[in-house]
Amino acid sequence: SHTINSAAGYNETLFSDIRQQSTSPNNIICHQPPHHPPLIAPNTPLPPPLPKPTYSFRGRILPPNLLAFNSTEGKGRFLESLQSNHAEAYFPLSQQFLNQMDPAYCGVSTLILVLNALAMDPNVRWRGGWRWYGDES
């Protein structure tokens, strides 16, 4: 019976089943995930590519309820935050600034910026000997 009322009971039942099955030398036990059909059938043709846009732009105009960082008032607010010691988080973040490779990568780029600003060690090499978060993969 596989009716279990507790985690400990489940583990014991699971392990006893494995011990019973593994008594045979020809019986190799490995976990196989349940079979699921593919989300897209094999050999499904790809949709046609999207047409190239008929427009282009460089930057956007801020809505009136937002303040540009490089405006007179934006600079004044930044100076005020520096003088009142409320801008300490700005410096490690600004040192890690990077452009996102694609508009859809804004979350990834933000996460990379924050992890590097917090000096989080990814424990894998980025390039050469550098352990760093990058947005290449």
Side-chain angles (χ1 to χ4, degrees), residues 46-137:
L46 295 173
L50 295 172
K52 293 194 179 220
T54 58
Y55 61 89
S56 67
F57 57 90
R58 184 180 181 280
R60 290 188 172 176
I61 297 173
L62 283 176
N65 62 325
L66 298 178
L67 179 66
F69 186 62
N70 63 345
S71 69
T72 302
E73 187 178 348
K75 292 174 186 177
R77 288 188 184 186
F78 183 64
L79 180 61
E80 180 183 326
S81 67
L82 284 172
Q83 291 171 337
S84 62
N85 291 324
H86 290 105
E88 290 305 310
Y90 170 79
F91 296 103
L93 289 170
S94 66
Q95 290 175 330
Q96 303 304 325
F97 180 79
L98 67 148
N99 287 320
Q100 62 200 47
M101 296 176 68
D102 184 284
Y105 291 178
C106 59
V108 173
S109 296
T110 301
L111 179 61
I112 290 167
L113 183 148
V114 170
L115 290 171
N116 285 330
L118 292 171
M120 302 295 293
D121 189 340
N123 292 316
V124 292
R125 287 185 181 180
W126 171 62
R127 289 191 182 139
W130 288 97
R131 292 192 316 269
W132 202 254
Y133 289 97
D135 62 352
E136 294 84 12
S137 57

